[in-house]
Amino acid sequence: MSRRIALSILSIVASLAIVGGATYAFFSATATSSSNTFASGTLTLNLDDVNESAVDNSVIGSISASNFAPGQSVNGFVSLDNPAGGIDIAEVEMTMDTSETADPGADSDLRDVLNLTVLLDDNTPDSLCSGGTDLTTTIDSQVGNNAAPLTLGEFDNGTDEFDAFLTGVGLPDGTARNVCFTVTFDSGAGNIYQGDAVDTTITFTANQNVIQ
């Protein structure tokens, strides 16, 4: 190889080394997204009835009767309220826990002759329950013996749960619906029920999702 060719090769190699080691200064820009915060909301179910002056998570005496006699009925309602600014409610569950408070005769249980009718009011909640969707048969098939009438005794002391209030409709925040109750003293009840008394606690549980 001639000296001239060798020098040419060395020159090319040196040039490539310089190019390979060169630094390129292209422009770039940076942007940021800050203050990304996450806070949980609240799911709240308040109640109201004819006796209360304001909604709360507990009400008393929504439906009661004294000197109750066979064939008589008493009506009452509980308003389910989802306050504005909270989380939408997908459905509401209901349980009833009824206990005897007076029973002069051991062979009688007043719960078995108090027939229950339950309606979901279609109208804006007010002091009356007029119209609505009768859910009694649906409740009876889920928690009762699936044979009319539905009695207080068929709600097994708070363990039987009806979980289909407002399913598919929900209770958006800032809205309310009435659950209307009619309790009828069975006309076939005999003298063994005289002097009996019961106390019922109705518990409503709001769920964010219907699978709960």
Side-chain angles (χ1 to χ4, degrees):
M1 179 184 298
S2 68
R3 179 181 178 83
R4 182 175 295 177
I5 294 173
L7 290 174
S8 296
I9 292 173
L10 289 174
S11 178
I12 293 171
V13 171
S15 297
L16 290 174
I18 293 172
V19 171
T23 300
Y24 297 93
F26 294 114
F27 289 156
S28 64
T30 301
T32 61
S33 170
S34 60
S35 298
N36 298 297
T37 61
F38 303 90
S40 62
T42 57
L43 190 146
T44 304
L45 178 65
N46 286 330
L47 304 179
D48 191 12
D49 62 20
V50 71
N51 300 313
E52 315 303 324
S53 58
V55 297
D56 202 348
N57 64 355
S58 179
V59 293
I60 59 173
S62 302
I63 177 170
S64 298
S66 59
N67 292 321
F68 215 15
Q72 293 182 338
S73 296
V74 61
N75 301 302
F77 76 93
V78 175
S79 177
L80 308 177
D81 292 83
N82 186 357
I87 295 173
D88 291 347
I89 294 172
E91 70 174 11
V92 177
E93 301 169 352
M94 180 183 73
T95 61
M96 288 188 178
D97 188 357
T98 303
S99 57
E100 291 185 291
T101 56
D103 187 4
D107 55 349
S108 64
D109 190 337
L110 188 61
R111 294 173 292 190
D112 295 334
V113 290
L114 294 181
N115 303 330
L116 181 66
T117 301
V118 183
L119 280 77
L120 181 64
D121 198 345
D122 289 335
N123 302 316
T124 302
D126 51 28
S127 60
L128 299 174
C129 271
S130 57
T133 303
D134 192 334
L135 298 176
T136 308
T137 301
T138 305
I139 295 172
D140 197 10
S141 66
Q142 188 174 122
V143 304
N145 58 14
N146 203 22
L150 172 66
T151 68
L152 286 181
E154 292 178 63
F155 277 88
D156 189 17
N157 294 327
T159 61
D160 287 334
E161 177 181 85
F162 176 64
D163 63 358
F165 277 128
L166 301 168
T167 300
V169 178
L171 191 66
D173 72 297
T175 63
R177 295 288 292 276
N178 280 352
V179 178
C180 310
F181 300 95
T182 299
V183 176
T184 301
F185 200 154
D186 196 292
S187 59
N191 288 329
I192 60 173
Y193 297 100
Q194 291 192 49
D196 286 8
V198 296
D199 183 86
T200 298
T201 297
I202 308 171
T203 301
F204 297 95
T205 301
N207 291 330
Q208 178 193 350
N209 195 298
V210 295
I211 64 174
Q212 290 177 258

